């Protein structure tokens, strides 16, 4: 295992972000005068290990190549699913001459506020692992499992007779039980993997038609250990419109902090 591998960066920007509900692809949302994608590339550029970036974009994307980025950029065409876009990026990196033991740093275009030290820490952790490492934060809130029900009935007991209260004819969610959160983590990006190993697990996903939500879950399907590195809660993902307000505040605070350090 090569513990001083070359590091390749990839941002997956081929999706549209349906939950965000905007008319433009989510990665081109403007924050503090730049697109989300430009901010995310700039965060990777702050790492001492990263000097270029592969953007995986949709076939009909006409925006990315019109933007200025903080790193030299190369492009690959994405697929219908996220894992297919990552697979296309991995293929492009390998075809460019990368070694199987090299590391690939995969970041979401929608995470424009990941702190520089988190990027460094997860890369350095992955250098010591045979498969890779990811950023994640421990779950802080109480977790509830829910069940759907079209009507809710409430029994009033005591001096008042028992009655049935119909709340609504439309489905609602109700608390079923509380989940033990002691070993629960919220996955973030960057996620960093050995290039050859990532190619193998993505091939396995394709051959078995599996559904995965991030690259680490592909390794989990094969019981391959991926190290968890505790990340910052600043590294939130733009998923819903309200997230933009918080992200703008975080990016502004990070900028002010960096300016103070430089003066």
């Amino acid at each position: 295992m090569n513990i001083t591998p070359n590091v390749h960066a990839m941002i997956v920007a081929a999706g549209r972000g349906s939950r965000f509900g905007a008319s433009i692809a989510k990665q081109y949302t403007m924050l503090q005068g730049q697109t989300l994608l430009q901010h995310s590339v700039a965060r990777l550029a702050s790492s001492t290990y990263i000097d270029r970036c592969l953007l995986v974009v949709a076939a009909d994307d006409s925006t990315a190549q019109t933007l200025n980025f903080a790193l030299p950029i190369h492009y690959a065409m994405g697929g219908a699913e996220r894992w297919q876009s990552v697979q296309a990026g991995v293929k492009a990196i390998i075809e460019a001459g990368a070694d199987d033991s090299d590391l690939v740093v995969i970041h979401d275009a929608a995470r424009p506020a990941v702190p520089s030290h988190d990027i460094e820490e997860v890369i350095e952790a992955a250098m010591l692992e045979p498969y890779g490492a990811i950023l994640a934060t421990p779950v802080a809130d109480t977790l509830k499992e829910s069940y759907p029900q079209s009507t809710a009935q409430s029994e009033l007991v005591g001096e008042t007779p028992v009655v049935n209260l119909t709340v609504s004819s439309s489905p609602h969610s109700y608390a079923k039980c509380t989940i033990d959160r002691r070993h629960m983590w919220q996955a973030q990006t960057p996620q960093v993997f050995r290039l050859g190993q990532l190619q193998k697990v993505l091939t396995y996903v394709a051959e078995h038609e599996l559904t995965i939500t991030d690259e680490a879950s592909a390794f989990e399907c094969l019981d391959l250990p991926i190290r968890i590195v505790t990340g910052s809660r600043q590294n939130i993902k733009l998923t819903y419109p309200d997230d933009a307000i918080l992200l703008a505040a975080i990016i502004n605070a990070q900028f002010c902090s960096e300016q103070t350090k430089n003066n």
Side-chain angles (χ1 to χ4, degrees):
M1 181 180 66
N2 182 8
I3 62 171
T4 57
N6 292 319
V7 176
H8 309 272
M10 177 198 310
I11 290 183
V12 182
R16 295 204 52 88
S18 57
R19 285 175 294 177
F20 187 60
S23 58
I24 61 170
K26 181 171 61 175
Q27 58 267 29
Y28 299 123
T29 302
M30 298 296 295
L31 282 179
Q32 307 291 79
Q34 288 195 315
T35 65
L36 219 61
L37 181 57
Q38 287 172 295
H39 281 295
S40 294
V41 172
R43 298 318 299 167
L44 293 184
S46 70
S47 170
T48 57
Y49 294 103
I50 297 172
D51 57 12
R52 61 192 180 279
C53 184
L54 175 72
L55 294 185
V56 185
V57 298
D60 61 351
D61 189 313
S62 59
T63 303
Q65 297 192 42
T66 69
L67 301 174
N68 294 319
F69 293 103
L71 286 170
I73 297 295
H74 301 279
Y75 293 91
M77 187 181 301
E81 302 292 335
R82 178 194 167 90
W83 70 265
Q84 293 172 324
S85 295
V86 173
Q87 190 176 49
V90 167
K91 180 181 178 184
I93 292 171
I94 291 173
E95 288 177 349
D99 189 82
D100 280 355
S101 63
D102 286 352
L103 294 178
V104 56
V105 178
I106 305 171
H107 191 46
D108 286 336
R111 290 189 185 272
V114 56
S116 302
H117 60 80
D118 283 13
I119 302 172
E120 305 291 76
E121 286 187 9
V122 72
I123 291 173
E124 289 167 3
M127 287 181 176
L128 303 176
E129 297 293 328
Y131 301 104
I134 66 170
L135 287 176
T137 56
V139 171
D141 297 325
T142 297
L143 289 175
K144 298 291 186 182
E145 182 180 346
S146 68
Y147 66 92
Q149 188 167 303
S150 59
T151 60
Q153 294 183 329
S154 176
E155 291 187 345
L156 304 180
V157 296
E159 295 182 359
T160 306
V162 175
V163 296
N164 291 330
L165 300 178
T166 300
V167 177
S168 173
S169 60
S170 60
H172 291 278
S173 293
Y174 295 87
K176 179 180 180 181
C177 63
T178 300
I179 306 297
D180 185 351
R181 67 174 184 240
R182 285 177 294 176
H183 302 293
M184 296 292 181
W185 294 76
Q186 290 178 279
Q188 301 178 335
T189 66
Q191 300 192 351
V192 187
F193 308 103
R194 297 282 172 177
L195 188 62
Q197 297 294 344
L198 179 59
Q199 183 185 41
K200 289 178 183 178
V201 297
L202 291 178
T203 298
Y204 181 87
V205 167
E207 290 176 346
H208 291 81
E209 299 181 345
L210 302 179
T211 299
I212 61 172
T213 55
D214 68 352
E215 291 66 60
S217 57
F219 286 86
E220 293 160 17
C221 290
L222 292 167
D223 293 323
L224 300 174
I226 297 298
R227 182 171 165 183
I228 293 176
V229 176
T230 303
S232 167
R233 297 192 183 277
Q234 294 179 30
N235 186 16
I236 68 170
K237 183 178 182 180
L238 184 70
T239 303
Y240 301 104
D242 286 352
D243 298 332
I245 299 171
L246 182 55
L247 269 171
I250 292 171
I251 290 171
N252 185 61
Q254 289 176 339
F255 176 78
C256 293
S257 177
E258 289 169 2
Q259 289 293 104
T260 301
K261 290 179 181 178
N262 293 333
N263 290 336

